[in-house]
Amino acid sequence: RSRVAFNSNGQVFVHDLERGGRVPLVPELPVTQAPVWSTDGTRLIFSSNHNGTWNLYSKAASGLGEVEVLLESRFDQFPSGVTADGRLVYQEIHESSGSDIWLLPVSGDPEPWLVTPVEEGFAQPSPSGELMAYMTNVSGRFEISIQDIDRVFDPLRISTNGGTHPTWSSSGERLYFRQGHQFMVSDISTEPVLTASVPNIIFGGGWELSHQAQPLFSEFGVMSDDRVLLSRRPPGSVPT
């Protein structure tokens, strides 16, 4: 993983970590956000509201070629991940049920994954495709849960004192998330049954790891070697 997709001033950019330099992904659209890599790393899926509603689009990660329309709706939609079998995971902001989690197959109609009266979102499929980590405020505040992707078994809550923005390690053996200004990790095992360790603090130090007002968007990622890539800000400063 030598490239990073990120947002800056309302545009998605692709940055080359090895060679340096960055290019805008979609300069032809006025505002884009929430980039997600395809499973093979050749394309980026993102949201744009150039037609009035935040909807789902795709473009080659090189920036070449045309923008592909994936799904347009009257509801705002934001991508959050791609399953091992290529299904797009996204959150839809519905006027009655708030933020819900949906799946979009490579070919076919959208499928609801978790649609309830409470807020749930930022769903992240595990690298193996067996599990889904997500945020939900069913308890009254956002917490992190994981569940088998077919939703046969009950969800397992991971966070113990609030949590947002779950992100898997490349091995799928660890789940990282944010707890306020702290960065947490829990060890995940599926054998013989699904279990999770009590989360440990990796670091804190007062840095903002994401907008408190926008919990459905993240400002960090985990690299394939478990290095953390994040946009950090001292309190009250402009992000760097």
Side-chain angles (χ1 to χ4, degrees):
R1 298 182 182 182
S2 60
R3 294 173 297 169
V4 173
F6 66 95
N7 271 101
S8 178
N9 295 323
Q11 283 289 331
V12 173
F13 287 82
V14 179
H15 179 78
D16 192 314
L17 291 172
E18 294 180 349
R19 302 179 62 186
R22 62 194 62 181
V23 294
L25 178 71
V26 202
E28 64 267 38
L29 296 183
V31 183
T32 53
Q33 67 177 5
V36 168
W37 291 95
S38 63
T39 51
D40 61 5
T42 62
R43 299 187 68 83
L44 279 163
I45 300 135
F46 59 91
S47 285
S48 172
N49 68 345
H50 64 281
N51 285 331
T53 302
W54 289 101
N55 282 310
L56 304 174
Y57 305 91
S58 172
K59 191 177 182 182
S62 64
L64 302 176
E66 301 296 320
V67 172
E68 177 187 356
V69 178
L70 297 182
L71 187 64
E72 291 184 326
S73 166
R74 67 188 183 93
F75 302 112
D76 289 338
Q77 302 168 112
F78 302 96
S80 61
V82 179
T83 65
D85 60 6
R87 289 177 292 174
L88 174 64
V89 184
Y90 67 97
Q91 53 208 21
E92 181 178 272
I93 315 299
H94 196 274
E95 57 192 10
S96 61
S97 59
S99 176
D100 300 310
I101 301 169
W102 287 72
L103 297 175
L104 180 64
V106 176
S107 59
D109 296 327
E111 304 166 355
W113 190 81
L114 187 58
V115 176
T116 75
V118 302
E119 301 280 330
E120 50 264 326
F122 205 76
Q124 300 283 296
S126 66
S128 68
E130 298 177 78
L131 303 172
M132 188 86 83
Y134 61 96
M135 301 163 28
T136 174
N137 66 354
V138 66
S139 67
R141 66 181 177 189
F142 276 114
E143 300 280 4
I144 304 299
S145 291
I146 58 176
Q147 191 171 11
D148 62 295
I149 205 159
D150 295 325
R151 300 195 63 225
V152 174
F153 304 104
D154 291 336
L156 174 65
R157 189 162 124 179
I158 303 301
S159 57
T160 58
N161 191 27
T164 58
H165 309 105
T167 303
W168 294 95
S169 67
S170 59
S171 66
E173 297 175 349
R174 289 173 298 282
L175 186 68
Y176 299 90
F177 64 93
R178 176 192 161 209
Q179 180 181 292
H181 299 300
Q182 296 175 323
F183 198 70
M184 313 290 289
V185 65
S186 177
D187 295 323
I188 308 297
S189 175
T190 58
E191 297 295 337
V193 295
L194 180 62
T195 58
S197 68
V198 175
N200 290 317
I201 299 172
I202 300 177
F203 60 81
W207 293 99
E208 290 266 14
L209 298 182
S210 178
H211 291 296
Q212 295 282 355
Q214 295 188 359
L216 297 179
F217 298 97
S218 177
E219 290 188 350
F220 71 84
V222 178
M223 306 293 288
S224 56
D225 58 2
D226 279 13
R227 285 182 298 164
V228 178
L229 180 72
L230 69 151
S231 171
R232 65 178 188 174
R233 71 185 77 207
S237 80
V238 175
T240 57

